[in-house]
Amino acid sequence: MAEPSGAGDSTPLECPGLDTAAGEEFLQEVFQILLQEGVRKSTDVTQKVCDWKEPQELRELLDLELRSDGEGQERLLQRCRDVLRFSVRTGHPRFFNQLFSGLDHHALAGRFLTETLNTSPYTYEVAPVLVLMEEQVLAKLRELVGWSSGDGIFAPGGSMSNMLAMNVARFRRFPESRSRGNWDLPRLGLFASQESHYSILKGAALLGIGTDNVHLVRTDQRGKMIPEELEKEIQRVKAEGSEPLFVCATSGTTVLGAFDPLDAIADVCARHGLWLHVDAAWGGSALLSPRLRHLLAGIHRADSVTWNPHKLLMVGLQCSAFLLRDSSGLLQRCHGVGASYLFQRDKFYDVSLDTGDKSPQCGRRADGLKLWILWKAVGTRGLAQRVERAFSATRYLLEQMKRREGFQLVMEPEFINLCFWFIPPSLRGQENSPEFWEKLGKVAPTIKEKMIRRGSMMVGYQPQGSHVNFFRQIITNPAVTRQDLDFFLDEIQELGWDL
């Protein structure tokens, strides 16, 4: 008789290959480290925002080499402490560097649950609770947009949500593109503002449409798309023989926080039969606030919307919803291939709950869970208050900045993006000299280096169009107080005073 396959393998199979008791003991220790170092210290204003190390020094401190044999529990626990110690504390009240910040304990509990469950919400059979939660959260987000029906899916970030919109728009106009590709299609034209997110260009490259076919429409001084310029661009592209397809309006641009005039843009799209997508990754959460939702007036006329609750709502990375007004199954027809090992049609339950084929992904994080728990904890009113507090904090900082010498606004903010220069005493009065702007452009990078090395706070800067480097201050963390905002201004002044 032939020897069974694997009979010569000496690996014992009578007992589990994991030491469960030791693993649970390790986890208990890790949870204590997470609570003390990752939650308490990371949100403690008396701690540094970061303990900065140069790359080579950090490589040596972390001992990153992977070896043949494993390490003991105490050494591994120290590794965990080191990860937290030398990482940037994005939950810190003085971290203003990105469009996300802060730490919400309820949302963090949702993230722990998601990781512990370790499942993908592509079928009801492996993620029954998570599939139903995702369905409910997406429906609530669509309701806030102004749709009574529709579809949607969670995607790994706003960039991918925008790319899904481009792909679905192409499929609706040219369903044969799914099977035949771009070969028989006319040259397509995509339109977005000069201030739009770079994912539109990336998406055009990824989908084979080509970045040359993304037409960036002029904006006004506040960074808003000019509808009349969109009309001109569409007419020009048509005259050149291309087929206009897709317009991306932005509700809350990344740098200036501008909101495009959606109603006027929707009128243009309606005249030409174009898909209107609204990238509300940043500004979408203003829909929760009765005081601020006017910024997105007309969003209900969009065909699709990107909304990132991991930004302003502080849900935690990542949580990006792609919302679709269409309720005919367009997402499924565009992306589905019906893999027989996942999406069997003869299952014993309602197979419409197997939503995984709506997405280009197979494995997918259950990103709706943490938002669902947060929403249950604070309610819609609590989420609205979170948005309004961020807006009020920005207004406070703006008024204080106007009272201090050396601070100069790039423009009055419409939302929560506060963009400004700090002019050191050595440059004041030299605004008319040819070297002034060149010298001013070096101020923000120098101040930022100082603050990071000190570990006192973190804020972003960038050039924009004809503007030299300026700071972009973002407040999304409800833990930020007036004292933190006053400290922010004091620190900028101190670090830039002798430049």
Side-chain angles (χ1 to χ4, degrees), residues 25 69 130 144 184 207 260 278 283 315 343 353 389 409 411 424 460:
E25 181 184 344
D69 296 322
L130 304 179
L144 288 163
D184 294 332
L207 296 172
D260 289 340
V278 177
V315 176
F343 307 113
L353 294 170
R389 180 185 173 89
L409 290 175
M411 64 178 61

Side-chain angles (χ1 to χ4, degrees), residues 55 58 68 107 153 215 238 281 283 312 315 353 368 385 401 437 468 477:
L58 191 57
S68 299
I153 201 81
H215 306 281
K238 281 185 174 181
L312 193 48
V315 176
L353 294 170
Q385 289 169 2
M401 195 175 289
W437 290 105
V468 299
N477 186 353

Side-chain angles (χ1 to χ4, degrees), residues 37-48:
E37 304 288 333
V39 176
R40 291 174 183 158
K41 281 190 177 180
S42 290
T43 57
D44 183 351
V45 74
T46 66
Q47 299 291 318
K48 289 185 176 182

Side-chain angles (χ1 to χ4, degrees), residues 148-172:
S148 59
S149 61
D151 205 347
I153 201 81
F154 279 98
S159 291
M160 287 305 302
S161 291
N162 288 342
M163 294 178 199
L164 289 179
M166 298 163 70
N167 197 39
V168 171
R170 180 177 59 180
F171 173 77
R172 188 188 68 167

